[in-house]
Amino acid sequence: MIDHILDKALRGERLQLEDGLALFASDEIEKIGHAANQIMQKWHPEPITTFVIGRNINYSNVCDTYCRFCAFYRPPGSKEGYVLPKETIFEKIQETVDVGGTEILMQGGTNPDLKLSYFTELLREIKQRFPTITMHSLSTAEVAKMAEVSNVSVEEALRQLKEAGLDSLPGAGGEILDNRTRKKISRLKGTWEQWVDIQKAAHRAGLPGTATMVIGFGEEMEERVLSLLRIRDAQDETNGFKAFIVWTFQPDNTNMKATKNTPEEYLKTLAISRLMLDNIPNFQSSWVTMGPEIGKLSLSYGANDFGSTMMEENVVSAAKCAYKVNTNKILELIREAGKIPAQRNTAYETLRVFQESEWAETDFVMQN
């Protein structure tokens, strides 16, 4: 029933809403995965799987968005709320640089007490101390909040952030790009239109980034397909998304229950995303939520990248889900999948290809 859809994708024809719905209705996961793998190989003919050495720094857990699916945030005024001292942030970055890291994913909540000037000053100090580090940081929600409390436009906030040292804007907050589910899981976070508009504004400001989708909120399959189509439309306009990442909602310690968060559903969604998003070159594996073995399998379902080797991760681990393996295991998993591991930077430029004799050179803990 789906052969003609897969053939259509393999011929380079663009899939539409009804095609995506038919693929999600199908139980032929391996066949869909095989087609997605062929599409991936058209983008990346060499048998290389990349990863970036980076660190996640959660500078604050104070947030006034109150997402039902988040176990990490604390409301303003909470005794458990924090804002990290700058010196602590600098120490974490130095530790990252010391092990060959090139990327910092610095994110927190929508903290109403932190104005745009806080972030621009922090970014300038980081760049003064660590001029080679790439700041792949913040989110659309954080940008919107700092613009609001500072009485400037989102465009002006993005301009100042880039000038201060922001290099790239992650796709956090994408979740499901349809307002029915967004209102259910986080009514204060903004519409899907706002997420897309801020991402496009970032791209126009010279800040590329990533697009994301989280599944398992009880969303309809049509909402998943619409999310992919809306990301694809934005990419047609700005060509600013370097990669796409899909992962599953982790319900522990949150106010929501997960639905259908199986490895099969993840792999199926990953493969369909690769077929639908014909204008985004890189797809990351989400083994921080699915585990190393599923992460390895994802490399034959459309993924060409293992994401960031996070030295710490607080948001997902707050929901009691954090798979940790050392560097040698990452390289081993990539090799077991029949691929050659390579370190990249945030722009997906290859920095180093690892040969087997080099596997034991690093041993720090890596996540995601």
Side-chain angles (χ1 to χ4, degrees):
M1 294 293 292
I2 62 170
D3 287 355
H4 70 287
I5 299 175
L6 301 181
D7 289 341
K8 180 179 176 181
L10 291 170
R11 290 194 304 268
E13 297 180 30
R14 179 158 275 190
L15 301 188
Q16 302 302 331
L17 176 63
E18 60 274 15
D19 300 316
L21 291 174
L23 292 175
F24 273 111
S26 172
D27 60 1
E28 297 187 85
I29 300 176
E30 290 186 3
K31 182 180 285 189
I32 297 170
H34 180 65
N37 191 55
Q38 289 179 273
I39 296 295
M40 183 276 292
Q41 290 174 335
K42 289 184 178 181
W43 282 98
H44 307 281
E46 298 297 324
I48 289 177
T49 293
T50 53
F51 62 91
V52 63
I53 298 177
R55 183 169 196 161
N56 189 340
I57 299 176
N58 297 116
Y59 63 88
S60 175
N61 66 344
V62 177
C63 186
D64 64 359
T65 302
Y66 314 115
C67 297
R68 292 178 61 202
F69 59 85
C70 182
F72 173 71
Y73 84 88
R74 296 296 182 269
S78 169
K79 294 181 180 179
E80 296 178 340
Y82 72 81
V83 176
L84 288 181
K86 287 184 179 180
E87 288 305 320
T88 300
I89 294 174
F90 300 151
E91 289 171 7
K92 290 176 179 289
I93 297 175
Q94 184 63 61
E95 291 170 358
T96 308
V97 171
D98 289 344
V99 296
T102 61
E103 178 181 286
I104 295 296
L105 181 66
M106 187 176 70
Q107 293 180 321
T110 55
N111 190 328
D113 296 323
L114 299 181
K115 293 189 175 183
L116 176 60
S117 58
Y118 165 84
F119 296 97
T120 55
E121 291 170 9
L122 177 59
L123 285 166
R124 286 193 181 93
E125 291 186 52
I126 289 172
K127 285 295 187 173
Q128 287 172 359
R129 289 169 169 78
F130 311 99
T132 62
I133 205 75
T134 298
M135 296 302 293
H136 177 60
S137 300
L138 303 175
S139 66
T140 58
E142 288 166 277
V143 172
K145 176 57 67 173
M146 68 181 76
E148 174 192 336
V149 299
S150 304
N151 295 314
V152 300
S153 67
V154 165
E155 289 77 8
E156 176 61 18
L158 289 166
R159 186 194 67 78
Q160 291 191 32
L161 290 168
K162 183 178 187 300
E163 184 181 74
L166 184 64
D167 298 297
S168 179
L169 186 68
E175 280 89 46
I176 293 293
L177 295 180
D178 193 83
N179 292 334
R180 185 191 72 87
T181 291
R182 292 182 76 83
K183 288 178 182 178
K184 181 178 71 173
I185 64 177
S186 181
R187 63 183 180 85
L188 299 179
K189 201 163 197 175
T191 64
W192 74 263
E193 292 95 340
Q194 289 170 320
W195 185 90
V196 168
D197 287 345
I198 294 175
Q199 285 287 345
K200 291 193 297 186
H203 300 167
R204 289 192 296 269
L207 293 167
T210 54
T212 61
M213 182 167 72
V214 183
I215 61 173
F217 295 121
E219 70 280 355
E220 301 290 338
M221 293 305 103
E222 182 175 5
E223 292 178 281
R224 292 188 190 178
V225 180
L226 286 172
S227 294
L228 297 173
L229 294 176
R230 287 159 179 167
I231 290 169
R232 191 173 73 185
D233 288 345
Q235 181 73 344
D236 279 345
E237 185 175 333
T238 65
N239 196 35
F241 293 125
K242 296 291 185 181
F244 175 79
I245 311 102
V246 59
W247 66 85
T248 57
F249 165 53
Q250 304 302 312
D252 289 355
N253 294 337
T254 73
N255 293 322
M256 291 189 66
K257 294 182 180 179
T259 58
K260 215 173 183 179
N261 283 329
T262 64
E264 292 79 13
E265 188 69 14
Y266 163 72
L267 292 171
K268 180 181 181 180
T269 304
L270 170 65
I272 294 171
S273 300
R274 173 60 92 171
L275 296 172
M276 298 289 299
L277 295 175
D278 56 15
N279 53 5
I280 296 181
N282 301 293
F283 279 59
Q284 290 185 19
S285 168
S286 182
W287 64 268
V288 73
T289 56
M290 301 309 301
E293 289 302 316
I294 299 302
K296 181 173 68 175
L297 195 56
S298 72
L299 298 181
S300 59
Y301 277 76
N304 64 289
D305 184 82
F306 241 44
S308 175
T309 58
M310 295 295 184
M311 294 168 62
E312 64 179 273
E313 208 299 323
N314 297 316
V315 177
V316 173
S317 57
K320 294 185 178 179
C321 180
Y323 290 95
K324 298 181 182 180
V325 296
N326 63 34
T327 310
N328 289 344
K329 184 63 176 178
I330 289 286
L331 301 176
E332 179 184 332
L333 289 168
I334 292 173
R335 284 288 186 185
E336 287 176 354
K339 308 289 184 178
I340 300 169
Q343 180 186 351
R344 63 166 174 86
N345 61 17
T346 308
Y348 285 81
E349 298 166 334
T350 299
L351 302 178
R352 174 186 181 186
V353 177
F354 285 79
Q355 305 303 323
E356 275 195 61
S357 60
E358 299 176 294
W359 287 12
E361 290 189 10
T362 53
D363 60 2
F364 57 90
V365 171
M366 303 195 331
Q367 297 176 310
N368 192 20

